[in-house]
Amino acid sequence: MNSKLNDFKKKIKNKKVAVLGIGISHTPLISYLYKLGADITAFDKSDETRLKPTLEAFKGMDIKYSLGEGYLDNLKGFDILFRTPGMRYDIPQILAAKEEGTEITSEMEVFFELCPAQIFAVTGSDGKTTTTTLIYNMLKEQGYNCWLGGNIGIPLLSKIDEIKDTDKVVLELSSFQLHTMTESPHIAVVTNVSPNHLDVHKSMDEYVFAKKNIFKHQSAEDKLVINFDNDITRGFANEAQGDVVYFSRKASLEKGAMLKDNMLIFKDGESVTEIVKADDIVIPGVHNIENFLAATAAVIDCVDRDVIKKVATTFTGVEHRIELVRELNGIKFYNDSIASSPTRTIAGLNSFKDKVILIAGGYDKKIPYDALGPVIAEKVKCLVLIGQTAPKIEKALKDETERTGKGTDIPVYRCGSLDEAVQTAYRFASLGDTIILSPASASFDMFKSFEERGNKFKEIVNSIKA
């Protein structure tokens, strides 16, 4: 019996609860809290017309709403407030509610408090979703009853009644979710850390601080898996509370998962376990070798080597991550819409042996693009740009050409829409070329999410007549 859950159910009944944001994660949360007897007011900056399809899910429920412009003006008199991850915890309205005595929390914070199962959680600037999915698949293939949540899967608080202590929970966690966390998972994985989301975080230091919460509250019995090749994550070992296990594509480790002579191995002192040849991993790119190393280090204590190998040789990847969309007239189209930062696009470009036609650009998260210039100069034959960050990306290439003389022959096209960008790239392409959407930017200037952007790209590509 989950005594913590029973206590929560008693606590929430008849309480005045504010839920900020009526999105994918909060729709089932609202329904769940309503069933527990909470008096709910749902807040969202969108108006009733835009939210109509979502609000249909609450038809027949006695739920109050505060919507549209000034939707947070009525944030008073609540017992508990559930904050959406994308909203800062220190905006004036939330601070005023806290000062008034309102308990400020989130769906993920409450889930951590109540979950009876072992939790594996993954964060990082790049590679979170693939690594999380790999861990989930490995555990599931081993025979565990598994739950997938956080940024992917389903909102798990609404499923808390079904989760048993013998299950395994796998979460992908963003810096926004981690920022106010006061509990950490049993097995924490940090894939890497590089500048990201500086449009929301006040500084790089704040961003790194948020990431650290994935392990700062661990105990000595817990495990932290970190990237030895990343300067920032390597330094996390100094603050770790639990057992530190590294993974590395470049270094030779005394303990951890590494790449040696084209073989993924796990080493623990004198004990060496060969996992799988790098060439046998189905999904392309050296960054995916790193993702497999991270996942291996996370599950090595509870998943057999043969199971890890099976997943490596059968897993074809996650949608919107170097996803082959179509081959048309000898031209391949890849969707890498997940690439919302320069480091992610660099990893995508390095996955191809030959030069590619790159479609990039989007919403500006106020992060630097300098590192992208040298890689574009080396790996791109034509650059097609859209969105707010188009000038930054073009400048990164221009700075590289002025500094080294490389990339002077790369044509650059500015386009007003994704449709125009795809058509421009296709007109430039010839037999054997690869066109890849890898924006190095968020989607919010043109699309609601990277998924919507990727789906639109696939729709455009598939509409081109042979």
Side-chain angles (χ1 to χ4, degrees), residues 368-380:
Y369 281 78
D370 307 4
L372 192 56
V375 184
I376 291 175
E378 180 186 351
K379 305 290 291 189
V380 173

Side-chain angles (χ1 to χ4, degrees), residues 127 130-131 134 249 259 262 264 277-293 312 315-317 321-323 334 336 343-353 379 436:
T130 298
T131 303
L134 286 170
R249 185 172 56 84
L259 183 66
N262 198 45
L264 274 68
K277 289 182 179 178
D279 294 342
D280 291 336
I281 295 174
V282 176
I283 49 176
V286 293
H287 62 296
N288 280 316
I289 291 175
E290 293 173 353
N291 294 335
F292 270 102
L293 290 169
F315 179 70
T316 56
R321 292 150 179 85
I322 318 183
E323 173 193 8
Y334 283 88
D336 194 34
T343 52
R344 189 63 189 249
T345 293
I346 289 169
L349 293 177
N350 285 331
S351 300
F352 297 91
K353 291 180 181 178
K379 305 290 291 189
I436 180 170

Side-chain angles (χ1 to χ4, degrees), residues 69-345:
E69 195 72 28
Y71 71 108
L72 293 178
D73 293 346
N74 305 314
L75 203 59
K76 297 176 182 177
F78 291 95
D79 299 304
I80 302 172
L81 182 155
F82 283 81
R83 177 181 60 87
T84 190
M87 180 180 289
R88 284 193 63 92
Y89 66 94
D90 56 358
I91 63 172
Q93 295 93 330
I94 290 180
L95 291 178
K98 186 177 181 179
E99 185 71 25
E100 198 179 60
T102 302
E103 178 186 340
I104 312 298
T105 189
S106 68
E107 187 256 348
M108 190 52 62
E109 287 173 85
V110 174
F111 177 77
F112 263 79
E113 292 172 16
L114 304 181
C115 180
Q118 185 181 46
I119 298 176
F120 293 71
V122 181
T123 196
S125 301
D126 304 305
K128 292 190 297 294
T129 302
T130 298
T131 303
T132 304
T133 307
L134 286 170
I135 292 171
Y136 173 79
N137 287 353
M138 290 171 183
L139 291 168
K140 198 172 180 65
E141 188 68 31
Q142 184 69 28
Y144 294 104
N145 188 47
C146 299
W147 302 84
L148 182 66
N151 277 356
I152 56 177
I154 57 176
L156 291 181
L157 184 57
S158 62
K159 300 292 183 181
I160 192 68
D161 293 88
E162 303 170 42
I163 299 174
K164 300 178 176 64
D165 58 3
T166 53
D167 295 348
K168 303 289 186 187
V169 171
V170 188
L171 304 172
E172 178 192 320
L173 299 179
S174 69
S175 59
F176 305 142
Q177 289 163 313
L178 287 165
H179 208 158
T180 53
M181 293 286 282
T182 56
E183 291 193 37
S184 296
H186 305 93
I187 291 88
V189 181
V190 188
T191 58
N192 49 59
V193 175
S194 60
N196 208 345
H197 300 300
L198 298 185
D199 56 325
V200 176
H201 290 290
K202 293 179 178 178
S203 66
M204 184 63 184
D205 286 343
E206 184 185 92
Y207 175 62
V208 172
F209 174 86
K211 291 294 190 187
K212 286 181 181 180
N213 269 338
I214 201 168
F215 69 86
K216 290 285 277 187
H217 310 287
Q218 286 187 317
S219 70
E221 289 75 38
D222 297 327
K223 180 164 75 172
L224 170 62
V225 176
I226 47 178
N227 187 345
F228 188 84
D229 301 336
N230 182 273
D231 292 341
I232 295 175
T233 57
R234 187 169 61 248
F236 287 176
N238 299 324
E239 302 176 51
Q241 309 300 314
D243 184 31
V244 175
V245 180
Y246 292 110
F247 69 93
S248 174
R249 185 172 56 84
K250 302 173 182 177
S252 180
L253 305 171
E254 278 302 308
K255 181 179 180 180
M258 69 193 89
L259 183 66
K260 185 176 182 181
D261 299 327
N262 198 45
M263 175 69 73
L264 274 68
I265 66 172
F266 187 85
K267 185 180 179 185
D268 189 354
E270 296 300 314
S271 173
V272 177
T273 304
E274 293 187 344
I275 307 293
V276 65
K277 289 182 179 178
D279 294 342
D280 291 336
I281 295 174
V282 176
I283 49 176
V286 293
H287 62 296
N288 280 316
I289 291 175
E290 293 173 353
N291 294 335
F292 270 102
L293 290 169
T296 298
V299 305
I300 195 69
D301 298 326
C302 55
V303 175
D304 297 337
R305 172 259 183 195
D306 290 343
V307 169
I308 300 173
K309 182 178 180 180
K310 181 180 179 182
V311 172
T313 55
T314 57
F315 179 70
T316 56
V318 183
E319 190 180 17
H320 308 299
R321 292 150 179 85
I322 318 183
E323 173 193 8
L324 178 61
V325 177
R326 185 183 186 187
E327 184 168 351
L328 175 64
N329 298 329
I331 300 163
K332 291 181 178 179
F333 293 82
Y334 283 88
N335 166 29
D336 194 34
S337 182
I338 184 62
S340 60
S341 67
T343 52
R344 189 63 189 249
T345 293

